[in-house]
Every structure is written in C-alpha cells, then in structure tokens.
Amino acid sequence: DGSNPSAKSIEFTCIWGFAAQDYNRFESLTFKYCYSAGLNGAPTGAVVTNCVFASCLGGCNNNGGGLFFDGAGMTDVKIQNCLAYNTICPTGGQGDNEYGVGMKYPDNSIIEDCEVYDAGMGLGAKSHARNGCVFRRNFVHDCTTIGVGAKSDNWDTDIYENLCGNCGPVSEIRCLD
C-alpha cells in the first residue's frame, strides 16, 4: 500500500515474552500482559526504540518486569523512547526486581528518553557493568521503590538529566548497595 512498515505499531499479547538475540532491532512494538518480562534475553548490540511494555509482570517470578535484559557479556544495548507501566506483581512481587526497564551486566549500554510508571523500580542496572552504562533524560514516576538506580558494583555508570517523582520512600536517583 506504499506505507512505511516501520511507522506501524504491532501489538503482542504474550505469556512468556520474547527473547531478544544479538543485534536484534525492536521498533514500535507493544508488549502486553506478559507473565515474564515482555522483552528479555541477553542480546549484544540490540536496539529497542518506541516500544511499549504494559502489564508485563516479570517481578512475580523474579524475572524482571516490562523489559529486562540479563546476561554476562551483553554489551552495546540501546533502549530509547520506550514506555513501561504497570509492572508491579498484584500478588506481591520481588520489589526491586519489578523493573519497568532494567538490565543486568549492562556493559556500554544506554537507556534514554523513556517513561516508566507504576513499577517496582523504574530503571535499573542490576549488577556488574564494567564498561559503563548511561541513564539519561528519562521520566520515572509512581514507582514503589526507586526511580533510577544502579548497584554499587556498576563501574562508570552515568545517571543524569532524569526526572523522578513519587517513587517509594525516596523519590531520587541513587546507587543501591
């Protein structure tokens, strides 16, 4: 029909979410009602842009939340302009594992220009980033624990120009011990 296929949005209703592979590109997709993280895996070089993660409840089984990448050796991931909300387990989840958007071992990776709300933790780097990670220009609000956080063993992590509000006992950006 002559339209640009990248301009279309595709919606997935999923049970276990999708596992990203190295160098996959995810653009303008909506992941809803996933029992695990809507998008997960340990992808090197993956790019996720303009995606929505709604009611993905990975925190119920300790597997993240809306989007959660977890894997040693994973590098160069870019997550941009995404929206994640309602990732809190209704039966009492794992608190700081109920990420809106999160990564474990996020070497040389970027999360920018995203909005997250109604999550356990808004944005987070769980552990062991040895070559830096950047969180910038994100809007995080109405989370039960922390807006944006990085474990203290994430080296060279830059967190700047984020706006956080109404996030648990501390509406601030901080490192976790």
Side-chain angles (χ1 to χ4, degrees):
D1 66 0
S3 64
N4 180 351
S6 66
K8 295 180 181 178
S9 179
I10 298 172
E11 183 174 307
F12 295 98
T13 299
C14 51
I15 302 221
W16 291 110
F18 290 86
Q21 302 297 314
D22 288 353
Y23 305 102
N24 282 166
R25 183 174 188 85
F26 298 89
E27 188 170 352
S28 301
L29 301 173
T30 298
F31 298 86
K32 281 186 161 181
Y33 309 115
C34 302
Y35 184 65
S36 67
L39 192 55
N40 54 61
T44 287
V47 177
V48 182
T49 57
N50 300 314
C51 290
V52 176
F53 302 90
S55 301
C56 295
L57 304 176
C60 292
N61 59 12
N62 202 26
N63 284 329
L67 181 155
F68 190 75
F69 289 149
D70 177 358
M74 175 183 70
T75 63
D76 303 306
V77 172
K78 290 186 175 75
I79 301 169
Q80 304 164 308
N81 300 308
C82 291
L83 171 64
Y85 63 93
N86 193 26
T87 62
I88 299 172
C89 182
T91 59
Q94 302 293 322
D96 66 352
N97 285 321
E98 298 173 312
Y99 289 94
V101 176
M103 289 189 277
K104 185 174 183 180
Y105 310 110
D107 284 347
N108 197 38
S109 296
I110 298 171
I111 300 175
E112 64 185 356
D113 302 315
C114 295
E115 180 179 1
V116 177
Y117 62 92
D118 292 337
M121 175 187 278
L123 301 172
K126 196 164 184 178
S127 57
H128 308 298
R130 289 185 170 79
N131 296 311
C133 182
V134 175
F135 297 90
R136 63 181 171 214
R137 299 184 310 266
N138 297 290
F139 178 38
V140 181
H141 55 99
D142 302 304
C143 296
T144 59
T145 60
I146 297 169
V148 179
K151 293 280 260 186
S152 57
D153 59 357
N154 283 292
W155 302 325
D156 297 324
T157 296
D158 293 321
I159 301 174
Y160 59 94
E161 296 179 8
N162 296 283
L163 178 61
C164 297
N166 195 30
C167 293
V170 287
S171 287
E172 63 187 45
I173 298 163
R174 68 179 216 185
C175 288
L176 309 173
D177 294 322

